[in-house]
Amino acid sequence: GKVVVLGGDFRQCLPVIKRASRPEVVSAALSRASFWPGVKVLRLHQNMRVATMRQGGDENRAHQLQQWSDLLKRIGEGQEQRVGEGPYAGWISLPPKVNFQGKTPEEFLTHAYGRYSRLSSSDQKTQFLKETAILTTTNALADSINERLLTGPYLGPEMEAAEIKTYRSVDTLIQWKKRTSSMTTTKSTSTPSKPLASLSIPSG
């Protein structure tokens, strides 16, 4: 007699099964459960981020975000036009605005963060950093990108000349109420499921 509310997207939240094939993963999804015919599905159709931007008068950014949202939806539903041939069959073409053509990390960082040093106010710079991020596959790659970004010319001469301060994580035994909590050393590991052993940022 209990009402249970579930939220999510099966295209993004598939179950994780060790060494399973794609059909096995899909078969284990909640939508294949015996009780699924009795589930009432409610679909969300309004992009709240776009609506908030429009209410704030930022129609240009709202339009851009809506276009990007529509593109992701078409890709997820398999409706986007395929352009690849041969070994690239099934590939899709991304819009020029999000398809970076450079070949070096320096070119990419300049493309992503080059506008920062041209901003005039600290509020604009803070907002820019909040809205700009580079996603990576490993902590090691994130470390490499951060080091290049913080020690290079991409954030302006003041940031480039700032002293870098390193904050390290705790990797010792903790005594509390006569109990010992063992913590695994993180300095020698770098996996997506664990935090970085150290974080280096400019002081000030």
Side-chain angles (χ1 to χ4, degrees), residues 68-114:
W68 177 249
S69 177
D70 293 341
L71 172 64
L72 294 181
K73 184 178 180 181
R74 292 196 303 271
I75 294 175
E77 295 177 349
Q79 298 177 355
E80 185 65 10
Q81 183 179 0
R82 309 298 175 91
V83 297
E85 298 180 356
Y88 305 105
W91 286 36
I92 62 173
S93 178
L94 293 175
K97 186 174 181 180
V98 299
N99 189 5
F100 178 65
Q101 300 293 335
K103 297 181 179 180
T104 66
E106 289 73 18
E107 289 179 307
F108 181 70
L109 289 176
T110 300
H111 174 78
Y113 287 92

mmCIF file of all heavy atoms in Angstrom, residues 68-114:
data_model
loop_
_atom_site.group_PDB
_atom_site.id
_atom_site.type_symbol
_atom_site.label_atom_id
_atom_site.label_comp_id
_atom_site.label_asym_id
_atom_site.label_seq_id
_atom_site.Cartn_x
_atom_site.Cartn_y
_atom_site.Cartn_z
ATOM 1 N N TRP A 68 21.248 23.211 -27.286
ATOM 2 C CA TRP A 68 22.140 22.154 -26.803
ATOM 3 C C TRP A 68 21.334 21.023 -26.155
ATOM 4 O O TRP A 68 21.611 19.844 -26.363
ATOM 5 C CB TRP A 68 23.136 22.747 -25.811
ATOM 6 C CG TRP A 68 24.055 21.753 -25.180
ATOM 7 C CD1 TRP A 68 24.071 21.353 -23.885
ATOM 8 C CD2 TRP A 68 25.101 21.012 -25.830
ATOM 9 N NE1 TRP A 68 25.057 20.429 -23.670
ATOM 10 C CE2 TRP A 68 25.705 20.206 -24.843
ATOM 11 C CE3 TRP A 68 25.569 20.973 -27.142
ATOM 12 C CZ2 TRP A 68 26.763 19.350 -25.144
ATOM 13 C CZ3 TRP A 68 26.633 20.118 -27.436
ATOM 14 C CH2 TRP A 68 27.211 19.314 -26.445
ATOM 15 N N SER A 69 20.314 21.388 -25.397
ATOM 16 C CA SER A 69 19.457 20.391 -24.753
ATOM 17 C C SER A 69 18.723 19.548 -25.786
ATOM 18 O O SER A 69 18.619 18.319 -25.652
ATOM 19 C CB SER A 69 18.452 21.086 -23.831
ATOM 20 O OG SER A 69 17.566 20.153 -23.246
ATOM 21 N N ASP A 70 18.239 20.192 -26.842
ATOM 22 C CA ASP A 70 17.541 19.460 -27.906
ATOM 23 C C ASP A 70 18.489 18.506 -28.628
ATOM 24 O O ASP A 70 18.106 17.384 -29.002
ATOM 25 C CB ASP A 70 16.929 20.443 -28.900
ATOM 26 C CG ASP A 70 15.802 21.259 -28.292
ATOM 27 O OD1 ASP A 70 15.266 20.833 -27.255
ATOM 28 O OD2 ASP A 70 15.474 22.324 -28.850
ATOM 29 N N LEU A 71 19.744 18.954 -28.837
ATOM 30 C CA LEU A 71 20.731 18.092 -29.495
ATOM 31 C C LEU A 71 21.003 16.851 -28.662
ATOM 32 O O LEU A 71 21.025 15.725 -29.187
ATOM 33 C CB LEU A 71 22.022 18.872 -29.736
ATOM 34 C CG LEU A 71 23.216 18.052 -30.252
ATOM 35 C CD1 LEU A 71 22.912 17.480 -31.629
ATOM 36 C CD2 LEU A 71 24.482 18.894 -30.283
ATOM 37 N N LEU A 72 21.207 17.023 -27.353
ATOM 38 C CA LEU A 72 21.461 15.875 -26.477
ATOM 39 C C LEU A 72 20.279 14.917 -26.469
ATOM 40 O O LEU A 72 20.462 13.693 -26.424
ATOM 41 C CB LEU A 72 21.756 16.362 -25.059
ATOM 42 C CG LEU A 72 23.037 17.176 -24.856
ATOM 43 C CD1 LEU A 72 23.195 17.556 -23.388
ATOM 44 C CD2 LEU A 72 24.255 16.412 -25.333
ATOM 45 N N LYS A 73 19.078 15.462 -26.517
ATOM 46 C CA LYS A 73 17.881 14.614 -26.531
ATOM 47 C C LYS A 73 17.807 13.805 -27.821
ATOM 48 O O LYS A 73 17.513 12.606 -27.785
ATOM 49 C CB LYS A 73 16.633 15.478 -26.366
ATOM 50 C CG LYS A 73 15.357 14.666 -26.271
ATOM 51 C CD LYS A 73 14.150 15.567 -26.051
ATOM 52 C CE LYS A 73 12.881 14.744 -25.964
ATOM 53 N NZ LYS A 73 11.682 15.620 -25.762
ATOM 54 N N ARG A 74 18.101 14.449 -28.955
ATOM 55 C CA ARG A 74 18.065 13.726 -30.226
ATOM 56 C C ARG A 74 19.128 12.618 -30.255
ATOM 57 O O ARG A 74 18.888 11.519 -30.766
ATOM 58 C CB ARG A 74 18.286 14.694 -31.398
ATOM 59 C CG ARG A 74 17.159 15.677 -31.634
ATOM 60 C CD ARG A 74 17.272 16.315 -33.014
ATOM 61 N NE ARG A 74 18.553 16.985 -33.203
ATOM 62 C CZ ARG A 74 18.798 18.243 -32.889
ATOM 63 N NH1 ARG A 74 17.848 18.986 -32.330
ATOM 64 N NH2 ARG A 74 19.989 18.784 -33.113
ATOM 65 N N ILE A 75 20.304 12.914 -29.706
ATOM 66 C CA ILE A 75 21.360 11.897 -29.660
ATOM 67 C C ILE A 75 20.941 10.734 -28.775
ATOM 68 O O ILE A 75 21.107 9.563 -29.139
ATOM 69 C CB ILE A 75 22.677 12.517 -29.144
ATOM 70 C CG1 ILE A 75 23.207 13.542 -30.144
ATOM 71 C CG2 ILE A 75 23.722 11.428 -28.903
ATOM 72 C CD1 ILE A 75 24.429 14.294 -29.660
ATOM 73 N N GLY A 76 20.378 11.046 -27.611
ATOM 74 C CA GLY A 76 19.954 9.998 -26.688
ATOM 75 C C GLY A 76 18.854 9.125 -27.254
ATOM 76 O O GLY A 76 18.779 7.926 -26.967
ATOM 77 N N GLU A 77 17.992 9.700 -28.077
ATOM 78 C CA GLU A 77 16.886 8.940 -28.668
ATOM 79 C C GLU A 77 17.252 8.334 -30.017
ATOM 80 O O GLU A 77 16.408 7.723 -30.678
ATOM 81 C CB GLU A 77 15.665 9.854 -28.815
ATOM 82 C CG GLU A 77 15.105 10.317 -27.476
ATOM 83 C CD GLU A 77 13.958 11.281 -27.621
ATOM 84 O OE1 GLU A 77 13.739 11.749 -28.771
ATOM 85 O OE2 GLU A 77 13.284 11.572 -26.622
ATOM 86 N N GLY A 78 18.499 8.528 -30.452
ATOM 87 C CA GLY A 78 18.941 7.947 -31.724
ATOM 88 C C GLY A 78 18.363 8.625 -32.937
ATOM 89 O O GLY A 78 18.303 8.017 -34.017
ATOM 90 N N GLN A 79 17.958 9.892 -32.811
ATOM 91 C CA GLN A 79 17.317 10.588 -33.918
ATOM 92 C C GLN A 79 18.262 11.536 -34.649
ATOM 93 O O GLN A 79 17.898 12.078 -35.685
ATOM 94 C CB GLN A 79 16.108 11.375 -33.399
ATOM 95 C CG GLN A 79 15.022 10.504 -32.789
ATOM 96 C CD GLN A 79 13.873 11.318 -32.221
ATOM 97 O OE1 GLN A 79 13.929 12.547 -32.200
ATOM 98 N NE2 GLN A 79 12.841 10.635 -31.749
ATOM 99 N N GLU A 80 19.471 11.757 -34.103
ATOM 100 C CA GLU A 80 20.393 12.675 -34.763
ATOM 101 C C GLU A 80 20.980 12.025 -36.017
ATOM 102 O O GLU A 80 21.253 10.816 -36.044
ATOM 103 C CB GLU A 80 21.525 13.061 -33.805
ATOM 104 C CG GLU A 80 22.474 14.101 -34.333
ATOM 105 C CD GLU A 80 21.837 15.458 -34.554
ATOM 106 O OE1 GLU A 80 20.680 15.662 -34.125
ATOM 107 O OE2 GLU A 80 22.496 16.343 -35.134
ATOM 108 N N GLN A 81 21.165 12.810 -37.055
ATOM 109 C CA GLN A 81 21.648 12.293 -38.337
ATOM 110 C C GLN A 81 23.063 11.729 -38.216
ATOM 111 O O GLN A 81 23.937 12.342 -37.619
ATOM 112 C CB GLN A 81 21.634 13.401 -39.393
ATOM 113 C CG GLN A 81 22.057 12.937 -40.783
ATOM 114 C CD GLN A 81 22.007 14.066 -41.793
ATOM 115 O OE1 GLN A 81 21.659 15.197 -41.447
ATOM 116 N NE2 GLN A 81 22.348 13.781 -43.024
ATOM 117 N N ARG A 82 23.281 10.543 -38.778
ATOM 118 C CA ARG A 82 24.595 9.909 -38.780
ATOM 119 C C ARG A 82 25.354 10.335 -40.036
ATOM 120 O O ARG A 82 24.795 10.372 -41.126
ATOM 121 C CB ARG A 82 24.462 8.388 -38.746
ATOM 122 C CG ARG A 82 23.538 7.855 -37.640
ATOM 123 C CD ARG A 82 24.042 8.215 -36.265
ATOM 124 N NE ARG A 82 23.125 7.811 -35.214
ATOM 125 C CZ ARG A 82 23.170 6.639 -34.587
ATOM 126 N NH1 ARG A 82 24.102 5.760 -34.926
ATOM 127 N NH2 ARG A 82 22.309 6.354 -33.631
ATOM 128 N N VAL A 83 26.644 10.641 -39.863
ATOM 129 C CA VAL A 83 27.425 11.139 -40.997
ATOM 130 C C VAL A 83 28.651 10.271 -41.282
ATOM 131 O O VAL A 83 29.294 10.420 -42.320
ATOM 132 C CB VAL A 83 27.889 12.592 -40.749
ATOM 133 C CG1 VAL A 83 26.684 13.515 -40.641
ATOM 134 C CG2 VAL A 83 28.737 12.679 -39.478
ATOM 135 N N GLY A 84 29.019 9.377 -40.382
ATOM 136 C CA GLY A 84 30.231 8.590 -40.562
ATOM 137 C C GLY A 84 30.082 7.476 -41.578
ATOM 138 O O GLY A 84 28.988 6.978 -41.842
ATOM 139 N N GLU A 85 31.225 7.080 -42.159
ATOM 140 C CA GLU A 85 31.259 5.963 -43.106
ATOM 141 C C GLU A 85 32.427 5.047 -42.757
ATOM 142 O O GLU A 85 33.388 5.453 -42.096
ATOM 143 C CB GLU A 85 31.408 6.468 -44.537
ATOM 144 C CG GLU A 85 30.254 7.339 -45.016
ATOM 145 C CD GLU A 85 30.448 7.825 -46.436
ATOM 146 O OE1 GLU A 85 31.520 7.529 -47.005
ATOM 147 O OE2 GLU A 85 29.559 8.502 -46.977
ATOM 148 N N GLY A 86 32.360 3.818 -43.224
ATOM 149 C CA GLY A 86 33.439 2.865 -42.983
ATOM 150 C C GLY A 86 33.633 2.637 -41.502
ATOM 151 O O GLY A 86 32.682 2.330 -40.772
ATOM 152 N N PRO A 87 34.875 2.798 -40.998
ATOM 153 C CA PRO A 87 35.129 2.579 -39.567
ATOM 154 C C PRO A 87 34.451 3.615 -38.678
ATOM 155 O O PRO A 87 34.359 3.429 -37.477
ATOM 156 C CB PRO A 87 36.659 2.693 -39.463
ATOM 157 C CG PRO A 87 37.066 3.508 -40.644
ATOM 158 C CD PRO A 87 36.103 3.154 -41.734
ATOM 159 N N TYR A 88 33.981 4.723 -39.276
ATOM 160 C CA TYR A 88 33.313 5.773 -38.504
ATOM 161 C C TYR A 88 31.800 5.718 -38.671
ATOM 162 O O TYR A 88 31.106 6.695 -38.365
ATOM 163 C CB TYR A 88 33.825 7.142 -38.937
ATOM 164 C CG TYR A 88 35.323 7.276 -38.857
ATOM 165 C CD1 TYR A 88 36.104 7.243 -40.021
ATOM 166 C CD2 TYR A 88 35.973 7.391 -37.640
ATOM 167 C CE1 TYR A 88 37.484 7.352 -39.957
ATOM 168 C CE2 TYR A 88 37.354 7.495 -37.560
ATOM 169 C CZ TYR A 88 38.097 7.475 -38.723
ATOM 170 O OH TYR A 88 39.462 7.568 -38.661
ATOM 171 N N ALA A 89 31.287 4.614 -39.156
ATOM 172 C CA ALA A 89 29.843 4.470 -39.352
ATOM 173 C C ALA A 89 29.123 4.624 -38.015
ATOM 174 O O ALA A 89 29.527 4.064 -37.002
ATOM 175 C CB ALA A 89 29.538 3.112 -39.968
ATOM 176 N N GLY A 90 28.040 5.371 -38.042
ATOM 177 C CA GLY A 90 27.272 5.605 -36.828
ATOM 178 C C GLY A 90 27.677 6.852 -36.077
ATOM 179 O O GLY A 90 27.032 7.218 -35.092
ATOM 180 N N TRP A 91 28.744 7.517 -36.532
ATOM 181 C CA TRP A 91 29.181 8.741 -35.867
ATOM 182 C C TRP A 91 28.234 9.880 -36.205
ATOM 183 O O TRP A 91 27.530 9.862 -37.218
ATOM 184 C CB TRP A 91 30.600 9.100 -36.291
ATOM 185 C CG TRP A 91 31.658 8.214 -35.691
ATOM 186 C CD1 TRP A 91 31.552 6.881 -35.439
ATOM 187 C CD2 TRP A 91 32.968 8.598 -35.277
ATOM 188 N NE1 TRP A 91 32.710 6.399 -34.909
ATOM 189 C CE2 TRP A 91 33.604 7.421 -34.794
ATOM 190 C CE3 TRP A 91 33.661 9.792 -35.277
ATOM 191 C CZ2 TRP A 91 34.906 7.437 -34.310
ATOM 192 C CZ3 TRP A 91 34.966 9.805 -34.795
ATOM 193 C CH2 TRP A 91 35.571 8.641 -34.311
ATOM 194 N N ILE A 92 28.211 10.898 -35.339
ATOM 195 C CA ILE A 92 27.391 12.078 -35.578
ATOM 196 C C ILE A 92 28.298 13.306 -35.658
ATOM 197 O O ILE A 92 29.455 13.261 -35.236
ATOM 198 C CB ILE A 92 26.343 12.292 -34.470
ATOM 199 C CG1 ILE A 92 27.050 12.510 -33.125
ATOM 200 C CG2 ILE A 92 25.379 11.126 -34.404
ATOM 201 C CD1 ILE A 92 26.112 12.903 -32.021
ATOM 202 N N SER A 93 27.780 14.373 -36.220
ATOM 203 C CA SER A 93 28.540 15.615 -36.361
ATOM 204 C C SER A 93 28.112 16.603 -35.281
ATOM 205 O O SER A 93 26.927 16.900 -35.134
ATOM 206 C CB SER A 93 28.297 16.226 -37.746
ATOM 207 O OG SER A 93 28.987 17.449 -37.873
ATOM 208 N N LEU A 94 29.088 17.086 -34.490
ATOM 209 C CA LEU A 94 28.794 18.063 -33.448
ATOM 210 C C LEU A 94 28.819 19.476 -34.028
ATOM 211 O O LEU A 94 29.528 19.733 -34.994
ATOM 212 C CB LEU A 94 29.817 17.953 -32.314
ATOM 213 C CG LEU A 94 29.772 16.663 -31.498
ATOM 214 C CD1 LEU A 94 30.915 16.641 -30.485
ATOM 215 C CD2 LEU A 94 28.438 16.510 -30.790
ATOM 216 N N PRO A 95 28.094 20.400 -33.434
ATOM 217 C CA PRO A 95 28.108 21.795 -33.911
ATOM 218 C C PRO A 95 29.520 22.370 -33.816
ATOM 219 O O PRO A 95 30.289 22.016 -32.915
ATOM 220 C CB PRO A 95 27.158 22.504 -32.943
ATOM 221 C CG PRO A 95 26.297 21.424 -32.376
ATOM 222 C CD PRO A 95 27.142 20.200 -32.326
ATOM 223 N N PRO A 96 29.892 23.255 -34.735
ATOM 224 C CA PRO A 96 31.242 23.844 -34.714
ATOM 225 C C PRO A 96 31.596 24.499 -33.387
ATOM 226 O O PRO A 96 32.754 24.516 -32.977
ATOM 227 C CB PRO A 96 31.189 24.871 -35.850
ATOM 228 C CG PRO A 96 30.117 24.383 -36.761
ATOM 229 C CD PRO A 96 29.099 23.735 -35.871
ATOM 230 N N LYS A 97 30.606 25.046 -32.692
ATOM 231 C CA LYS A 97 30.876 25.753 -31.445
ATOM 232 C C LYS A 97 31.432 24.830 -30.366
ATOM 233 O O LYS A 97 32.181 25.262 -29.490
ATOM 234 C CB LYS A 97 29.600 26.435 -30.945
ATOM 235 C CG LYS A 97 29.820 27.314 -29.731
ATOM 236 C CD LYS A 97 28.579 28.064 -29.362
ATOM 237 C CE LYS A 97 28.821 28.966 -28.159
ATOM 238 N NZ LYS A 97 27.615 29.724 -27.777
ATOM 239 N N VAL A 98 31.059 23.548 -30.396
ATOM 240 C CA VAL A 98 31.519 22.618 -29.361
ATOM 241 C C VAL A 98 32.526 21.620 -29.913
ATOM 242 O O VAL A 98 32.961 20.718 -29.198
ATOM 243 C CB VAL A 98 30.326 21.862 -28.741
ATOM 244 C CG1 VAL A 98 29.361 22.817 -28.089
ATOM 245 C CG2 VAL A 98 29.602 21.021 -29.787
ATOM 246 N N ASN A 99 32.901 21.779 -31.174
ATOM 247 C CA ASN A 99 33.838 20.848 -31.801
ATOM 248 C C ASN A 99 35.183 21.553 -31.962
ATOM 249 O O ASN A 99 35.425 22.261 -32.941
ATOM 250 C CB ASN A 99 33.293 20.397 -33.160
ATOM 251 C CG ASN A 99 34.122 19.269 -33.745
ATOM 252 O OD1 ASN A 99 35.041 18.742 -33.119
ATOM 253 N ND2 ASN A 99 33.803 18.897 -34.971
ATOM 254 N N PHE A 100 36.081 21.365 -30.984
ATOM 255 C CA PHE A 100 37.364 22.061 -30.990
ATOM 256 C C PHE A 100 38.302 21.435 -32.017
ATOM 257 O O PHE A 100 38.476 20.219 -32.059
ATOM 258 C CB PHE A 100 37.984 21.990 -29.592
ATOM 259 C CG PHE A 100 39.342 22.640 -29.505
ATOM 260 C CD1 PHE A 100 39.478 24.004 -29.690
ATOM 261 C CD2 PHE A 100 40.470 21.888 -29.252
ATOM 262 C CE1 PHE A 100 40.714 24.606 -29.611
ATOM 263 C CE2 PHE A 100 41.707 22.470 -29.167
ATOM 264 C CZ PHE A 100 41.835 23.837 -29.344
ATOM 265 N N GLN A 101 38.932 22.268 -32.841
ATOM 266 C CA GLN A 101 39.768 21.783 -33.935
ATOM 267 C C GLN A 101 41.270 21.849 -33.621
ATOM 268 O O GLN A 101 42.084 21.476 -34.448
ATOM 269 C CB GLN A 101 39.479 22.595 -35.197
ATOM 270 C CG GLN A 101 38.037 22.519 -35.667
ATOM 271 C CD GLN A 101 37.671 21.129 -36.161
ATOM 272 O OE1 GLN A 101 38.522 20.358 -36.577
ATOM 273 N NE2 GLN A 101 36.381 20.802 -36.088
ATOM 274 N N GLY A 102 41.656 22.348 -32.461
ATOM 275 C CA GLY A 102 43.074 22.440 -32.118
ATOM 276 C C GLY A 102 43.716 21.081 -31.893
ATOM 277 O O GLY A 102 43.032 20.068 -31.761
ATOM 278 N N LYS A 103 45.037 21.066 -31.805
ATOM 279 C CA LYS A 103 45.750 19.806 -31.686
ATOM 280 C C LYS A 103 46.587 19.691 -30.405
ATOM 281 O O LYS A 103 47.055 18.604 -30.081
ATOM 282 C CB LYS A 103 46.665 19.604 -32.900
ATOM 283 C CG LYS A 103 45.911 19.509 -34.217
ATOM 284 C CD LYS A 103 46.862 19.287 -35.375
ATOM 285 C CE LYS A 103 46.101 19.178 -36.698
ATOM 286 N NZ LYS A 103 47.010 18.953 -37.852
ATOM 287 N N THR A 104 46.804 20.787 -29.690
ATOM 288 C CA THR A 104 47.678 20.744 -28.518
ATOM 289 C C THR A 104 46.902 21.148 -27.269
ATOM 290 O O THR A 104 45.893 21.864 -27.351
ATOM 291 C CB THR A 104 48.874 21.700 -28.682
ATOM 292 O OG1 THR A 104 48.398 23.063 -28.696
ATOM 293 C CG2 THR A 104 49.625 21.405 -29.972
ATOM 294 N N PRO A 105 47.355 20.706 -26.071
ATOM 295 C CA PRO A 105 46.697 21.124 -24.817
ATOM 296 C C PRO A 105 46.709 22.634 -24.639
ATOM 297 O O PRO A 105 45.753 23.210 -24.116
ATOM 298 C CB PRO A 105 47.536 20.427 -23.740
ATOM 299 C CG PRO A 105 48.178 19.269 -24.424
ATOM 300 C CD PRO A 105 48.432 19.727 -25.828
ATOM 301 N N GLU A 106 47.793 23.281 -25.078
ATOM 302 C CA GLU A 106 47.888 24.734 -24.939
ATOM 303 C C GLU A 106 46.796 25.433 -25.743
ATOM 304 O O GLU A 106 46.180 26.401 -25.285
ATOM 305 C CB GLU A 106 49.272 25.217 -25.380
ATOM 306 C CG GLU A 106 50.412 24.849 -24.443
ATOM 307 C CD GLU A 106 50.782 23.378 -24.503
ATOM 308 O OE1 GLU A 106 50.407 22.708 -25.498
ATOM 309 O OE2 GLU A 106 51.446 22.894 -23.573
ATOM 310 N N GLU A 107 46.557 24.947 -26.963
ATOM 311 C CA GLU A 107 45.509 25.538 -27.797
ATOM 312 C C GLU A 107 44.136 25.347 -27.159
ATOM 313 O O GLU A 107 43.286 26.241 -27.192
ATOM 314 C CB GLU A 107 45.528 24.912 -29.190
ATOM 315 C CG GLU A 107 46.720 25.299 -30.044
ATOM 316 C CD GLU A 107 46.689 24.614 -31.396
ATOM 317 O OE1 GLU A 107 46.568 23.369 -31.421
ATOM 318 O OE2 GLU A 107 46.784 25.309 -32.404
ATOM 319 N N PHE A 108 43.930 24.182 -26.567
ATOM 320 C CA PHE A 108 42.633 23.897 -25.950
ATOM 321 C C PHE A 108 42.403 24.770 -24.717
ATOM 322 O O PHE A 108 41.305 25.307 -24.528
ATOM 323 C CB PHE A 108 42.550 22.419 -25.569
ATOM 324 C CG PHE A 108 41.241 22.048 -24.944
ATOM 325 C CD1 PHE A 108 40.083 22.033 -25.706
ATOM 326 C CD2 PHE A 108 41.157 21.736 -23.599
ATOM 327 C CE1 PHE A 108 38.859 21.706 -25.133
ATOM 328 C CE2 PHE A 108 39.946 21.408 -23.020
ATOM 329 C CZ PHE A 108 38.801 21.388 -23.787
ATOM 330 N N LEU A 109 43.425 24.936 -23.874
ATOM 331 C CA LEU A 109 43.272 25.764 -22.688
ATOM 332 C C LEU A 109 43.048 27.223 -23.064
ATOM 333 O O LEU A 109 42.276 27.930 -22.414
ATOM 334 C CB LEU A 109 44.507 25.626 -21.797
ATOM 335 C CG LEU A 109 44.654 24.279 -21.074
ATOM 336 C CD1 LEU A 109 45.968 24.223 -20.310
ATOM 337 C CD2 LEU A 109 43.483 24.042 -20.137
ATOM 338 N N THR A 110 43.720 27.676 -24.110
ATOM 339 C CA THR A 110 43.497 29.044 -24.585
ATOM 340 C C THR A 110 42.072 29.203 -25.092
ATOM 341 O O THR A 110 41.417 30.223 -24.849
ATOM 342 C CB THR A 110 44.484 29.386 -25.713
ATOM 343 O OG1 THR A 110 45.825 29.278 -25.207
ATOM 344 C CG2 THR A 110 44.262 30.790 -26.230
ATOM 345 N N HIS A 111 41.569 28.189 -25.781
ATOM 346 C CA HIS A 111 40.195 28.216 -26.296
ATOM 347 C C HIS A 111 39.187 28.242 -25.148
ATOM 348 O O HIS A 111 38.177 28.969 -25.209
ATOM 349 C CB HIS A 111 39.961 26.989 -27.181
ATOM 350 C CG HIS A 111 38.542 26.834 -27.644
ATOM 351 N ND1 HIS A 111 38.005 27.575 -28.672
ATOM 352 C CD2 HIS A 111 37.553 26.025 -27.207
ATOM 353 C CE1 HIS A 111 36.745 27.229 -28.851
ATOM 354 N NE2 HIS A 111 36.438 26.295 -27.974
ATOM 355 N N ALA A 112 39.444 27.464 -24.095
ATOM 356 C CA ALA A 112 38.475 27.336 -23.001
ATOM 357 C C ALA A 112 38.551 28.488 -22.011
ATOM 358 O O ALA A 112 37.513 28.954 -21.505
ATOM 359 C CB ALA A 112 38.701 26.006 -22.271
ATOM 360 N N TYR A 113 39.766 28.976 -21.714
ATOM 361 C CA TYR A 113 39.925 29.963 -20.644
ATOM 362 C C TYR A 113 40.508 31.298 -21.108
ATOM 363 O O TYR A 113 40.765 32.171 -20.284
ATOM 364 C CB TYR A 113 40.831 29.389 -19.541
ATOM 365 C CG TYR A 113 40.159 28.325 -18.720
ATOM 366 C CD1 TYR A 113 40.269 26.984 -19.056
ATOM 367 C CD2 TYR A 113 39.398 28.663 -17.603
ATOM 368 C CE1 TYR A 113 39.650 26.003 -18.296
ATOM 369 C CE2 TYR A 113 38.775 27.691 -16.845
ATOM 370 C CZ TYR A 113 38.902 26.360 -17.189
ATOM 371 O OH TYR A 113 38.286 25.398 -16.444
ATOM 372 N N GLY A 114 40.734 31.457 -22.406
ATOM 373 C CA GLY A 114 41.357 32.683 -22.894
ATOM 374 C C GLY A 114 40.572 33.944 -22.605
ATOM 375 O O GLY A 114 41.145 35.032 -22.475
#
